[in-house]
Amino acid sequence: MSNLKLSLFNYAIAVLIIASTASLVACKSSIGEDDDQVEYLIGVSQANLSEPWRVTMCEEIMEEAKKYKDLRVIFTNAAQNSKQQIEDVEKLIQLGVDLLIISPNESEALTPIVARVHRKIPVIVLDRAVEGYDYTLYIGPDNRMIGKQAGEFVIDLLGAKGGKIIEIQGLNGSPPVRDRSEGFRDVILRNQKIKIVDTLVADWLRDKAEDKLREIIVKHPDVDIIFAHNDAMALGAYRALKNFGLNHVKLVGIDGLPGSNNGLELVQKGMLDGTFTCPTGGREAIQYAIDILKHERGIPKKVILRSHKITRENIDEYLLSKNNPISHKDVKQNKIILGFAQVGTESEWRIANSNSIKSAAKKEGVELIFIDGQQSQQKQIEAIRSFIKQKVDVISFSPIVETGWNEVLQEAKAAGIPVIILDRTIKVSDDSLYVSLIGSDFEEEGRRAAKWLVEYMEKQGKKEEEINIVEIEGNEGSAPAIDRTKGFNEIIKKYPNFKVIMSEPGDFFRSQGKEVMKKFLEAEGENIDVVYAHNDDMAVGAIEAIEEYGLKPGKDIIIVSVDAARCAFKAMIEGKLNCTVECNPLLGPQLMKAVKDLMVGKQLPVRIITEEGVFPQEVARREFPNRQY
């Protein structure tokens, strides 16, 4: 660190105390005796330090940062004030930090400053995502999934009789509240015997939850369960219920933090019936920050952390596993052996994906056993079983469909072999059957395709016209096909004049895409305005069918597809394809990084999402030379 940066760093202790004693303590603890050894200075902009969860995040950051002698960390506390947080970030930049970690108070308000900083230095966004993708890495929980898990647990607690629920939410309008509530209600509202009788907003605060529940509980003395969006509010609810003698009411929270009066202790004491861990990402933020600053390969765009259901029945087991994490670092002293089962060779994307895995394994010194599943789930299952027999260190595969994997993955778990899913999601009865999923956000790809289409039609003066869309889907039952349809429809439904009039699987093959498009043209002909293809190969097949029909692809019929393969860029340069949304197949470096991290005892996030972009026709010629697949 330069003398100027070091002097600024020391000065920061006085400058960056923002309305919080906790912030002062954090800053002081970041000072080392050997500041001359400091190479990296990281700034942490925290939304507030009034919530136990955020205090734990800062503690985890500091604990992890102490492992690196050449690293120092400065904290700021915005005290739930977005304007203050913007000023905090600007001060950190003036102090010369090498990397910014920010947990935004509000997504929309903090988006511009994050984007501006990202143009200068790496930025890690924690917990609440900003809008767009102008950051280096996002780390956070899947709050919608946590809400769904809580809903399923509440249904189990209520049983066949059903019952009444009060929901206590955090800060009104915040993304975690929105996502947790939507996930919870998606599950609960399907059951006609269960009713949410009241909803309180307590801003994540224990005392506020207690006071508000005291006010309304007299109206609902027969309530059966209270679901609180964090454990602090659940504790407040417990105290209110105890005051009224309502001992029959069950309580479910979220956070699962250690320490006095936090979720794990409350479950142990029987004060909560259950909680769901919501990892802060503090520890992971420092680990990834070091990788970013040292220019390591395989840095993802998003990291989604795993949540665990904690009940009275499993808390002892959870604490044991938490205090004694499984480490694979002593499995073998020689080369790591990875068994990988691929889907097949159905497209340019898949071939590039296979080549990336093989190349990265060779570069990282990982022994790779690669088996082509030839578009057969049974052959993939046989391949996984062969890996188990060979006692490989790690198993990875790209599943052809979402379901049907429980049995073989249970066999892998019984053999003590960790499994990493690549590219596509699966549905299993127990999410501990695999350690991580590496790949794209297929729903987001669908959303991006739809957003581009709406904006394009608006520029063409056609936003208010009837727009008839035909959709060529991927493999029926596959995660990309399901999610790309879901994401696309999520946006399109906001515009009633945009209608998907026909949809049929093309199985990701060029030839199938052509045949499906022929059917669409025979049925609807020139009524078709847009083709949405789930991959570029099918789009190219559709282009051939359109030309044979006598229409001009890219002009008479607008075409948007997914993958951003070289074939798509060639078609765009020729004016026959209008846009392609990237689905990055070059997952090899990220897979190898995950494998090596796993083998030295690191806990992997439940999901690792790659960085991807959107490429309209006007940038095709410029970007084409940069395409690696």
Side-chain angles (χ1 to χ4, degrees):
M1 179 183 287
S2 67
N3 290 332
L4 175 59
K5 185 181 285 186
L6 183 59
S7 63
L8 286 172
F9 164 70
N10 291 327
Y11 177 66
I13 306 310
V15 173
L16 297 179
I17 299 171
I18 312 294
S20 171
T21 302
S23 181
L24 173 60
V25 172
C27 286
K28 283 186 175 178
S29 66
S30 70
I31 303 176
E33 295 179 359
D34 300 318
D35 284 335
D36 290 336
Q37 298 178 12
V38 174
E39 183 175 355
Y40 301 120
L41 181 59
I42 293 177
V44 179
S45 173
Q46 183 59 273
N48 70 75
L49 285 172
S50 60
E51 304 166 39
W53 188 83
R54 293 190 177 278
V55 173
T56 299
M57 179 193 290
C58 292
E59 290 172 350
E60 289 183 0
I61 288 173
M62 290 307 306
E63 181 183 345
E64 190 66 24
K66 288 176 183 176
K67 297 178 182 179
Y68 304 92
K69 293 182 179 179
D70 58 352
L71 175 66
R72 294 294 179 268
V73 180
I74 301 175
F75 286 81
T76 64
N77 171 21
Q80 291 187 334
N81 185 313
S82 295
K83 183 179 178 182
Q84 178 64 61
Q85 191 165 27
I86 292 169
E87 292 177 5
D88 291 349
V89 170
E90 289 172 342
K91 288 177 182 177
L92 289 170
I93 299 306
Q94 291 171 8
L95 290 165
V97 297
D98 300 295
L99 181 145
L100 173 68
I101 297 173
I102 181 170
S103 184
N105 184 57
E106 295 175 293
S107 297
E108 184 177 355
L110 274 297
T111 293
I113 186 69
V114 168
R116 180 151 50 89
V117 172
H118 179 242
R119 289 193 286 269
K120 299 178 181 178
I121 61 171
V123 179
I124 295 177
V125 180
L126 272 180
D127 173 32
R128 293 173 186 164
V130 292
E131 297 179 356
Y133 292 87
D134 289 328
Y135 53 81
T136 308
L137 172 65
Y138 166 79
I139 302 174
D142 186 339
N143 282 298
R144 184 182 291 270
M145 180 55 65
I146 293 173
K148 286 184 177 180
Q149 291 171 335
E152 291 164 357
F153 181 52
V154 164
I155 289 174
D156 289 342
L157 288 175
L158 289 173
K161 291 182 179 179
K164 298 179 179 180
I165 302 169
I166 291 175
E167 180 182 5
I168 304 180
Q169 299 180 349
L171 192 65
N172 191 32
S174 68
V177 167
R178 179 196 63 216
D179 292 343
R180 290 176 187 181
S181 189
E182 287 179 359
F184 183 73
R185 289 166 185 256
D186 280 348
V187 175
I188 292 297
L189 297 180
R190 295 175 193 166
N191 192 315
Q192 295 182 351
K193 294 183 179 180
I194 298 176
K195 185 179 180 181
I196 299 174
V197 295
D198 218 327
T199 302
L200 307 179
V201 176
D203 300 339
W204 309 112
L205 302 175
R206 181 194 64 198
D207 293 345
K208 194 166 186 177
E210 181 178 354
D211 293 342
K212 287 206 164 191
L213 190 59
R214 282 173 180 264
E215 293 174 6
I216 63 100
I217 194 64
V218 291
K219 297 191 296 182
H220 309 291
D222 56 345
V223 66
D224 298 289
I225 286 184
I226 291 177
F227 166 53
H229 284 207
N230 75 353
D231 294 330
M233 295 188 297
L235 176 58
Y238 172 84
R239 292 176 174 177
L241 293 169
K242 189 175 181 180
N243 183 69
F244 283 87
L246 298 175
N247 300 319
H248 70 281
V249 183
K250 298 182 184 298
L251 285 159
V252 177
I254 294 175
D255 278 354
L257 298 175
S260 178
N261 283 333
N262 285 333
L264 296 182
E265 182 182 84
L266 297 178
V267 172
Q268 278 184 310
K269 290 182 175 180
M271 297 163 72
L272 296 187
D273 292 86
T275 186
F276 291 82
T277 61
C278 182
T280 71
R283 187 172 292 106
E284 291 82 0
I286 292 297
Q287 291 171 354
Y288 276 106
I290 294 297
D291 288 343
I292 291 167
L293 290 169
K294 293 187 176 181
H295 306 289
E296 294 287 338
R297 291 188 295 268
I299 303 297
K301 189 66 176 180
K302 291 183 180 180
V303 166
I304 307 302
L305 304 172
R306 186 183 295 275
S307 174
H308 296 275
K309 179 175 74 175
I310 310 298
T311 67
R312 298 171 190 175
E313 288 72 31
N314 72 357
I315 187 166
D316 291 337
E317 180 184 352
Y318 172 77
L319 290 173
L320 182 64
S321 64
K322 191 172 186 292
N323 295 328
N324 301 284
I326 297 172
S327 173
H328 302 278
K329 62 183 176 181
D330 297 322
V331 173
K332 295 183 71 175
Q333 296 301 318
N334 55 357
K335 187 176 289 187
I336 299 168
I337 301 176
L338 167 66
F340 185 83
Q342 183 60 282
V343 172
T345 56
E346 76 279 6
S347 64
E348 286 188 12
W349 192 99
R350 188 63 56 191
I351 294 168
N353 179 242
S354 296
N355 291 338
S356 174
I357 293 165
K358 294 173 183 177
S359 174
K362 185 177 180 180
K363 186 176 291 185
E364 296 296 335
V366 174
E367 184 177 334
L368 177 67
I369 304 173
F370 187 98
I371 296 179
D372 187 338
Q374 299 175 9
Q375 298 294 319
S376 166
Q377 183 179 28
Q378 187 55 43
K379 287 185 178 180
Q380 284 192 302
I381 290 172
E382 290 170 2
I384 294 170
R385 287 198 168 116
S386 75
F387 299 150
I388 296 170
K389 287 181 181 179
Q390 294 175 75
K391 298 181 180 180
V392 302
D393 299 311
V394 183
I395 292 171
S396 182
F397 70 105
S398 184
I400 188 169
V401 292
E402 284 191 330
T403 58
W405 304 102
N406 278 299
E407 185 177 343
V408 71
L409 294 188
Q410 285 167 353
E411 293 171 19
K413 184 177 181 180
I417 303 175
V419 176
I420 298 174
I421 310 299
L422 196 77
D423 172 33
R424 299 176 175 184
T425 59
I426 60 173
K427 291 182 178 178
V428 288
S429 57
D430 177 6
D431 63 6
S432 71
L433 293 177
Y434 65 94
V435 295
S436 189
L437 164 67
I438 301 173
S440 303
D441 186 336
F442 300 130
E443 281 191 37
E444 181 59 27
E445 290 167 357
R447 293 187 198 104
R448 287 180 168 192
K451 287 176 182 177
W452 174 86
L453 178 61
V454 171
E455 290 173 4
Y456 178 82
M457 289 301 184
E458 183 175 10
K459 289 177 183 176
Q460 302 300 313
K462 298 181 179 180
K463 187 178 179 181
E464 304 301 325
E465 294 182 12
E466 289 290 326
I467 306 296
N468 294 325
I469 305 166
V470 294
E471 180 180 23
I472 309 178
E473 301 172 314
N475 297 93
E476 188 173 2
S478 69
I482 294 168
D483 291 347
R484 285 172 186 163
T485 293
K486 184 178 179 181
F488 189 82
N489 289 338
E490 179 185 316
I491 302 300
I492 291 300
K493 70 181 181 182
K494 299 176 184 177
Y495 304 90
N497 54 312
F498 285 72
K499 297 178 182 178
V500 178
I501 57 174
M502 295 187 75
S503 184
E504 189 172 320
D507 297 338
F508 294 116
F509 284 99
R510 185 173 299 189
S511 58
Q512 285 294 99
K514 183 175 181 178
E515 291 304 312
V516 170
M517 192 65 213
K518 283 183 177 180
K519 290 182 184 179
F520 290 162
L521 289 165
E522 289 171 4
E524 293 291 341
E526 297 185 15
N527 290 330
I528 299 171
D529 299 302
V530 176
V531 174
Y532 167 45
H534 284 197
N535 81 342
D536 293 334
D537 281 82
M538 294 189 298
V540 172
I543 287 170
E544 293 173 4
I546 292 168
E547 288 179 323
E548 290 176 9
Y549 189 79
L551 295 175
K552 292 182 179 180
K555 294 182 180 179
D556 297 327
I557 297 179
I558 304 304
I559 305 174
V560 56
S561 60
V562 180
D563 273 357
R566 288 177 68 88
C567 65
F569 282 80
K570 290 178 181 177
M572 286 193 291
I573 291 170
E574 294 170 356
K576 298 177 181 181
L577 180 72
N578 302 88
C579 181
T580 182
V581 176
E582 187 173 30
C583 180
N584 191 347
L586 307 180
L587 304 177
Q590 292 178 34
L591 175 59
M592 298 311 143
K593 175 173 171 51
V595 167
K596 293 177 78 173
D597 284 350
L598 190 62
M599 297 306 290
V600 297
K602 288 186 180 180
Q603 293 186 356
L604 298 184
V606 68
R607 192 165 183 186
I608 299 170
I609 299 172
T610 57
E611 183 169 7
E612 297 169 336
V614 177
F615 300 94
Q617 189 180 86
E618 54 266 27
V619 304
R621 193 174 299 276
R622 183 184 72 232
E623 293 291 335
F624 181 70
N626 302 324
R627 306 312 294 169
Q628 299 179 47
Y629 57 93

